[in-house]
Amino acid sequence: MTYRKTFILAVLLILIAVFFAACSAPEATSAPASTATPTSTVVATMGQGQHQGHGMGQQHGTGQGMGGPPEGMRERHSAPIPVEYQGKSNPVPTDEESLARGEKIYAQQCATCHGDGGMGDGPAGQNLDPAPAPIAHTSQMLGDSYLFWRISEGGAQFNTAMIPYKSILSEQDIWDVINYTRALGSGQVQPRKNMGGQAMNPEAEAQMHADMLTAGVDQDVITRAEADLFAEVHDKLDAYKTAHMDELRSFMGNPEEMQKATLDALVKAGEITQDQADAFTDIHDRLMKSGIMQ
Ligand code: HEC
């Protein structure tokens, strides 16, 4: 019975992978302004929900029911990156000069929509649908090539108001503003105060995190002791990531690898034991599987 289920799931996954490979071929790049590119159909197989006003892949509902109700943002995050942007990696170190340049560009070009703190709540973004992304937050998880692509090409492919910057900003400008956005989200820099909008709020984040762990305990997914261990290791992980952003850069866009690398580094530094690292990973997996953590 379980074997049967596993087998069907495996076959499904292989089918999706094959379809994905077939469709993410070069033509995905040929029509960035169109809403009906092959790209859209690929995304549709990842589980297209009822989306109005997007024109994305309504013709394909094959993947429905997989992975829960997808948000527009989640679809964009899992959209295939056009070939000419694939493998792009940030050559500009996050030093003071880059952050200063990035801050200026951000204040002039981005804050009006994305907000001073990068949380997607600038004045010009209030009436946009979809709303500006909370890029201080999402840029922590997204890879260089994704961010460079999205800033270069904007939202035409997805029918959003995100502006294409490739003829406005130089490549270096784009990397500087990516460095700045990530630094906003990690707390390495403080937001300017021109346009308004919230900063990433560490206290609110911490509270949300605590609530998530309490829900895990209430639903018998984890024990109270596991919740405490998780919180303790998580704080150390966060501190390590903030202090070693540049070292961890190659793991951007791959949160699982990033977590593994960070845990390994903490064990090496003697901050946690290997047992604690293993327990953390196990608790993390259970929370993810139960849907309590996303
Ligand atoms: C006119 C308003 C507007 C301006 C100005 C703007 N953006 Fe956006 N941006 C959006 C909207 C709306 C979205 C969400 C829809 C999307 O992803 O296409 C978005 C999405 C993004 C994303 C994708 C994030 C994700 O999580 O997928 C990035 C990165 C981004 N913007 C960076 C920038 C940067 C950097 C600037 C300045 C150089 C900028 N934006 C200026 C409206 C804007």
Side-chain angles (χ1 to χ4, degrees), residues 13-232:
L13 283 175
I14 290 167
L15 280 177
I16 288 171
V18 168
F19 190 52
F20 210 93
C23 292
S24 60
E27 67 266 27
T29 62
S30 58
S34 152
T35 55
T37 57
T39 313
S40 322
T41 41
V42 174
V43 174
T45 64
M46 312 278 294
Q48 170 75 25
Q50 50 289 64
H51 245 279
Q52 302 104 337
H54 269 233
M56 285 184 61
Q58 291 96 333
Q59 64 274 50
H60 272 262
T62 35
Q64 251 168 27
M66 286 194 60
E71 295 284 323
M73 192 155 89
R74 218 165 90 192
E75 290 167 15
R76 293 190 289 277
H77 286 175
S78 55
I81 296 173
V83 187
E84 71 258 41
Y85 292 100
Q86 277 171 24
K88 273 249 175 212
S89 88
N90 189 345
V92 183
T94 310
D95 52 23
E96 269 177 40
E97 289 85 54
S98 171
L99 289 176
R101 291 189 303 261
E103 178 181 17
K104 217 164 141 196
I105 298 163
Y106 187 85
Q108 286 167 356
Q109 303 279 348
C110 321
T112 176
C113 282
H114 287 282
D116 287 337
M119 294 307 281
D121 51 3
Q126 306 279 321
N127 297 317
L128 296 178
D129 181 19
I135 49 177
H137 183 72
T138 58
S139 64
Q140 307 298 311
M141 308 173 291
L142 295 165
D144 290 348
S145 49
Y146 176 91
L147 293 170
F148 191 89
W149 160 48
R150 294 305 321 282
I151 297 169
S152 301
E153 299 292 343
Q157 176 186 337
F158 303 106
N159 272 345
T160 79
M162 171 60 194
I163 294 172
Y165 280 96
K166 67 176 175 194
S167 54
I168 302 172
L169 299 176
S170 69
E171 290 217 0
Q172 151 122 25
D173 290 342
I174 295 178
W175 293 122
D176 285 335
V177 83
I178 289 174
N179 284 342
Y180 179 74
T181 311
R182 282 178 172 157
L184 266 182
S186 72
Q188 198 182 342
V189 296
Q190 288 307 308
R192 278 205 197 181
K193 293 204 166 41
N194 313 328
M195 295 294 176
Q198 304 261 309
M200 272 277 270
N201 179 343
E203 273 165 35
E205 292 264 311
Q207 187 56 48
M208 258 169 54
H209 210 248
D211 291 349
M212 187 266 303
L213 289 174
T214 306
V217 176
D218 288 348
Q219 295 176 33
D220 288 331
V221 175
I222 57 175
T223 64
R224 183 33 65 193
E226 286 176 327
D228 293 342
L229 174 102
F230 189 86
E232 190 192 324

